[in-house]
Amino acid sequence: QLRRVCFRFPILTEQGYITIGEKPKSPQSRGGGSEHNIFQCLISSHFEKCLANLAKVEREMKVGDKFIDIGIKTTDLVIAIEVAISSANEQNNIIKDFAAGVDFLIIVCQNKSVIDEVNKIIVNDNNCSQYRDKITVCDLDQILTCNDPRNLFSNNTTV
């Protein structure tokens, strides 16, 4: 039986940076805040280790005209991973990611309520529901215990 792990990350405030005598660091992601950036770092580092010689793993990978949070690219397959701290941008991400040419999409959500909201978008939005078989929605625990992202899809995609 797997034990659920709750991730919590301390984020330095502007006063915290002043106290330690450092300049505030800008996020390395194109969007989102510190928590979004931390999720990206954890997920990309995990898959860089797991897929070292099998695929290229890149944060803020450009596919077509779209930047995706984390891209995993093999010779003939592109898997996009989008981090969802909230569900606010996920409808657009789904539509734009597939329009840009990704083959599969994993949406990693901050918590169960975001997972539920994203699943509703996928089911209820006509523009998104057509990709239902190519989308997996999960939380950080699930993605970090998976060694091959292709295994998260029901049809067990092979390269």
Side-chain angles (χ1 to χ4, degrees):
Q1 179 180 348
L2 292 176
R3 185 176 67 104
R4 302 282 305 165
V5 177
C6 183
F7 291 92
R8 297 282 183 239
F9 306 100
I11 306 298
L12 276 178
T13 63
E14 187 174 332
Q15 183 59 46
Y17 279 108
I18 292 169
T19 301
I20 64 171
E22 292 282 330
K23 290 183 179 178
K25 306 217 182 327
S26 61
Q28 293 182 7
S29 62
R30 298 181 59 82
S34 298
E35 194 165 18
H36 185 272
N37 192 36
I38 291 167
F39 273 48
Q40 278 184 293
C41 289
L42 289 170
I43 296 165
S44 62
S45 294
H46 172 71
F47 285 121
E48 284 169 358
K49 292 174 191 164
C50 294
L51 303 172
N53 297 317
L54 302 173
K56 177 182 178 183
V57 178
E58 183 180 327
R59 285 178 59 199
E60 299 299 337
M61 181 183 278
K62 188 170 184 179
V63 178
D65 292 333
K66 170 80 164 65
F67 283 94
I68 55 178
D69 288 339
I70 302 154
I72 299 174
K73 189 173 191 175
T74 66
T75 54
D76 59 350
L77 185 70
V78 177
I79 298 174
I81 301 176
E82 295 286 2
V83 173
I85 301 303
S86 76
S87 64
N89 297 315
E90 296 320 302
Q91 178 187 24
N92 286 333
N93 278 337
I94 292 167
I95 295 165
K96 289 180 180 180
D97 286 0
F98 284 106
V102 304
D103 298 296
F104 294 92
L105 172 61
I106 301 168
I107 302 172
V108 181
C109 300
Q110 179 184 32
N111 55 42
K112 184 172 177 1
S113 68
V114 177
I115 289 173
D116 292 342
E117 292 168 12
V118 171
N119 279 325
K120 283 180 189 172
I121 291 168
I122 294 167
V123 170
N124 296 328
D125 184 280
N126 290 334
N127 294 317
C128 297
S129 63
Q130 64 183 315
Y131 303 114
R132 188 182 308 175
D133 293 341
K134 296 181 175 195
I135 302 172
T136 294
V137 182
C138 63
D139 64 17
L140 189 61
D141 291 346
Q142 290 170 299
I143 198 84
L144 294 180
T145 56
C146 173
N147 291 330
D148 187 335
R150 295 168 294 183
N151 294 336
L152 292 172
F153 297 93
S154 59
N155 61 356
N156 288 324
T157 307
T158 56
V159 177

